[in-house]
Amino acid sequence: MNWIGNNLPLIGERTLDHIAITAPVILLSFLISVPIGWVANRFTASRGIVLSASGVFYAIPSLPLFVALPVILGTGLRSPVNVTIGLTLYGIALMVRSTADGLASVDPDVTQSATAMGFSDSSRFWRVELPLAGPVLLAGLRVVSVSTVSLATVVAVLGVPTLGLFFTDGVERNILGEIWAGIVMTIVIALVFDVIIVQLGRLLMPWTRSSSAAVSRPGRRTRVVAPV
Amino acid sequence: MNLLFEGFAWIFDPAHHGGDEGIGTRILQHLGITLVVMVIASLIAIPLGYLIGHTGRGRSVVVALSGGVRALPTLGVISLIALSVGIGFTAPVIALVILAIPSILAGAYSGFEAVDRRTIDAARAVGMTEGQIVTRVEVPLGLPLLIGGLRSATLQVIATATLADYVGAGGLGRYIFSGQATNDYPQMLAGSILVIMLALVSEALFSLLQRSLVPAGVVAAEQRQPDGETSGGPTRKSGPRRSLIAGARR
């Protein structure tokens, strides 16, 4: 475990590298998935196509995708663009499904009431459907966040600097502490991201805070909205 | 795009087909690792998942553990185990088993939990023993969700078995790693294309299997009530459906 004590600055640097790669990916996945999920949910015909396309995309193994992607993008194998786009594609594949499911979970009575009250299509989406779909979106985003942070270690075998380099280097040089440092820091980043996302959710959706109290009240019909 | 052709040309080059280093051998190694992992993981996860699903106990612990495993970087686990048990087959197999268990477990217990409580009460009312309820009611009705769990686990294992050769266990990952070592990008691409195709074939096979394993009684009931799924409908394909579970266990 001497290695850890002697290499604290390096651990910090790689942790920051890891965050610099994963944080934009998580944000991008979310921003891109909301419109796609909306399209998937809006029209019956597009729903099947979009969801099966995202399913097939998710089925593509990650390391091979990182190897094959530069051919299509024209970037280098170790280019951050390649890694960011690859990870974002996975994030989108996961997140589109959550978005479509979340929007589908909004009670049709509610959307019809909103229309009857005079909401335009766009304000109905932003002020009624999206907030009500929020908890499902949040749950999806948490999955995207954890899997992105963990997946980003894989690109180290191609030589991209992330926490995964501690694994490849640790095996080569037979340093157990180095591998532990990589695993622990990956989990720490995943946990910190998760806490941030959950707190943002509580901030943006204050009504979900009281719903846990409502669930425990007996005899009341409740809907479990947040698959964790 | 020329590079892509070179990748395919590499695959179709007869010189790369036979022998110990050939594509045939590497695919068999890859499938071999996958099969061993899936058998071990299923032997652990299916009985445990059935136990949780039948008794309804221990679910929160398992959900929390599965979430934790998702954060665990598989490359790190392979590295860690490889340092203690040495280079070769064992380290990736153990790491992949850890990776596969949560999906199978979730498929097994959510399959049981998705069974309508009234069906189980009815089975008990007609005099079935606990054993009969499990084997004749819960297992067949939960089968589609279990296959869904096995499907996503297999996908993950095929994809991640690419990393097995990183500690010298062979498989299709070999082409990626040796291509990288010798700067042979077509070879890396060839390996990647083969793994991607293997994953897509497995997905296609499992989706056929999943469709064919729905019990005849369930299919008949759905045909009688074609609108039965409209309210919670979007998510009938794969994976554990929490809304379904919440409805069954209220």
Side-chain angles (χ1 to χ4, degrees), chain A residues 3-33:
Chain A
W3 185 92
I4 295 177
N6 297 336
N7 289 278
L8 284 177
L10 183 65
I11 296 175
E13 191 188 317
R14 290 277 160 74
T15 305
L16 289 180
D17 285 341
H18 205 88
I19 294 173
I21 285 181
T22 50
V25 167
I26 298 166
L27 194 65
L28 276 174
S29 309
F30 182 74
L31 293 180
I32 299 172
S33 300

Side-chain angles (χ1 to χ4, degrees), chain B residues 1 6 11 36 90 100 110 118 145 198 218:
Chain B
M1 281 298 158
E6 281 179 50
I11 294 175
V36 169
T90 319
S110 64
R118 286 172 296 184
L145 279 178
L198 213 55
V218 176

Side-chain angles (χ1 to χ4, degrees), chain A residues 138 196-209:
Chain A
L138 183 82
I196 293 174
I197 291 171
V198 169
Q199 290 306 319
L200 274 177
R202 286 167 68 99
L203 205 69
L204 292 171
M205 299 180 288
W207 63 91
T208 55
R209 265 176 265 172

Side-chain angles (χ1 to χ4, degrees), chain B residues 117-239:
Chain B
R117 290 309 303 175
R118 286 172 296 184
T119 310
I120 293 168
D121 291 343
R124 199 164 280 135
V126 298
M128 283 191 176
T129 62
E130 284 303 303
Q132 284 173 324
I133 291 175
V134 171
T135 53
R136 306 237 185 116
V137 180
E138 290 180 312
V139 168
L141 286 175
L143 211 50
L145 279 178
L146 175 68
I147 302 294
L150 288 171
R151 173 185 176 170
S152 45
T154 309
L155 180 68
Q156 279 174 299
V157 171
I158 288 180
T160 317
T162 317
L163 294 175
D165 189 60
Y166 155 73
V167 288
L172 288 167
R174 169 65 59 90
Y175 295 133
I176 295 180
F177 290 109
S178 71
Q180 194 188 15
T182 55
N183 244 331
D184 182 359
Y185 190 57
Q187 187 184 352
M188 291 178 83
L189 264 183
S192 304
I193 294 166
L194 288 169
V195 180
I196 291 172
M197 294 208 302
L198 213 55
L200 294 180
V201 167
S202 132
E203 272 293 276
L205 288 180
F206 265 106
S207 85
L208 286 179
L209 186 67
Q210 215 171 351
R211 234 168 278 171
S212 65
L213 278 179
V214 180
V218 176
V219 178
E222 266 171 18
Q223 278 163 351
R224 250 175 281 137
Q225 302 169 293
D227 57 348
E229 270 224 335
T230 42
S231 58
T235 50
R236 69 188 83 89
K237 224 172 77 188
S238 64

